Amino acid sequence: MAVAEQHNFEAVALLPSGRWPHARTRRLSWDLEKIGAELLIAPVLMDVVGPRLHISPLEGLPLLQMSAPSYSGPAWIVKNVFDRVLAVLILMVIAPALLAVAVAIKVGSRGPILFRQQRVGRGGTPFTMYKFRSMVVGADEHKDDIADHDIGAGVLFKVREDPRVTRVGRFIRRYSLDELPQLFNVVKGDMSLVGPRPPLECEVARYGQDGAARRLFVKPGVTGLWQVSGRSNLSWDESVRADLRYVENWTFMLDLSILRRTIRAVLSGDGAY
């Protein structure tokens, strides 16, 4: 209290604890009133914020109510329409860049231009995801050869300086150009522009009790909180937390914020390998 008064604090945040009695909280609020400061009490709810939290009185006692998330209705219709329209517009604008990348891949190494892979979408429905090929043909056959270099720390398989990545592939991965064909998945309705990371079937089979399966409540995204929070630098647990934070707190404004932050993340190239 003395520190708040000395530094003329406008507000003091309090995290509830079993060792901090109710009477002490009430006394603190009274003391802060005297210096014109507000008391902010943080809800003890992991990764749930915003419109899902409400104050609901019960017998004169204000309680924090957490409403269930909604993954349907008008807001989600707007999201789906926005996703497809914007994806089409982006594809029209970047068509020359797509052609240039396709030519570079074809000239740079033997094999197809596109890489097709089975991923798991909303509700556990599998779909074929498109990416520009960034590895040599038959890369999966050599996965066991580099298993000792896996830094995924869990379900994800990640290798820095992966020898299977081609020279062109290294460049397009750094700036996420390899992911641009996923815009066709958005147009088809398999993916959203923003959402959780699209998991492999083998990853879903290894989901445990950490709530990772809840990511499948919505469509996977071309970008998401995992993309703007560190990309491949994230551990498995960090990746799950980022995706669950999105699933639990989705709003249309959150999508717009992530799209804006994605541009900065892609240009920096941080965490891409």
Side-chain angles (χ1 to χ4, degrees):
M1 180 60 199
V3 175
E5 187 173 5
Q6 178 183 354
H7 295 280
N8 196 26
F9 286 171
E10 295 183 2
V12 173
L14 176 65
L15 181 64
S17 169
R19 293 176 294 180
W20 185 280
H22 172 69
R24 191 174 181 183
T25 301
R26 182 172 55 186
R27 172 60 63 182
L28 177 61
S29 69
W30 292 344
D31 290 340
L32 290 175
E33 285 179 9
K34 299 175 183 177
I35 63 172
E38 299 286 343
L39 176 61
L40 308 177
I41 302 178
V44 189
L45 292 169
M46 187 67 173
D47 294 332
V48 178
V49 296
R52 289 186 57 197
L53 298 182
H54 313 275
I55 298 297
S56 180
L58 178 63
E59 299 295 332
L61 179 65
L63 300 177
L64 191 63
Q65 176 183 350
M66 183 175 67
S67 59
S70 176
Y71 305 120
S72 60
W76 281 91
I77 294 176
V78 171
K79 174 181 171 64
N80 289 328
V81 172
F82 174 82
D83 281 345
R84 295 189 182 191
V85 171
L86 185 56
V88 169
L89 293 176
I90 294 174
L91 285 170
M92 293 172 61
V93 171
I94 67 172
L98 294 177
L99 180 60
V101 173
V103 171
I105 292 172
K106 196 64 179 178
V107 172
S109 62
R110 178 181 60 85
I113 294 172
L114 289 179
F115 174 69
R116 296 172 174 84
Q117 189 176 51
Q118 284 292 106
R119 297 288 179 117
V120 180
R122 184 177 186 182
T125 303
F127 70 96
T128 301
M129 189 184 76
Y130 307 118
K131 297 180 71 173
F132 278 128
R133 181 177 59 83
S134 61
M135 292 187 174
V136 297
V137 175
D140 287 341
E141 299 172 6
H142 301 285
K143 187 175 180 179
D144 292 339
D145 299 337
I146 57 174
D148 293 340
H149 302 285
D150 177 24
I151 62 171
V155 173
L156 299 179
F157 182 84
K158 297 186 291 187
V159 176
R160 292 185 184 272
E161 303 298 330
D162 194 324
R164 301 173 299 168
V165 178
T166 65
R167 185 170 60 179
V168 173
R170 209 168 300 282
F171 176 82
I172 63 176
R173 279 185 167 212
R174 177 172 178 78
Y175 296 103
S176 298
L177 299 177
D178 60 319
E179 298 175 0
L180 291 178
Q182 293 174 32
L183 292 170
F184 290 104
N185 288 116
V186 177
V187 176
K188 289 175 59 181
D190 297 324
M191 296 177 63
S192 293
L193 287 176
V194 181
R197 175 186 168 275
L200 293 164
E201 293 178 322
C202 62
E203 294 172 1
V204 173
R206 295 173 61 189
Y207 280 175
Q209 301 300 315
D210 56 1
R214 196 169 176 84
R215 305 156 102 189
L216 305 180
F217 280 21
V218 301
K219 292 180 183 179
V222 178
T223 186
L225 281 178
W226 50 273
Q227 173 83 305
V228 300
S229 302
R231 302 161 84 178
S232 292
N233 285 335
L234 298 180
S235 67
W236 166 247
D237 289 339
E238 290 170 335
S239 176
V240 171
R241 280 199 299 270
D243 282 342
L244 291 183
R245 194 157 59 245
Y246 174 83
V247 172
E248 298 291 347
N249 301 291
W250 175 83
T251 64
F252 189 68
M253 293 306 297
L254 178 59
D255 274 8
L256 295 180
S257 174
I258 291 173
L259 288 173
R260 177 180 54 81
R261 293 167 60 190
T262 296
I263 297 175
R264 183 168 63 247
V266 168
L267 291 178
S268 69
D270 185 40
Y273 51 85

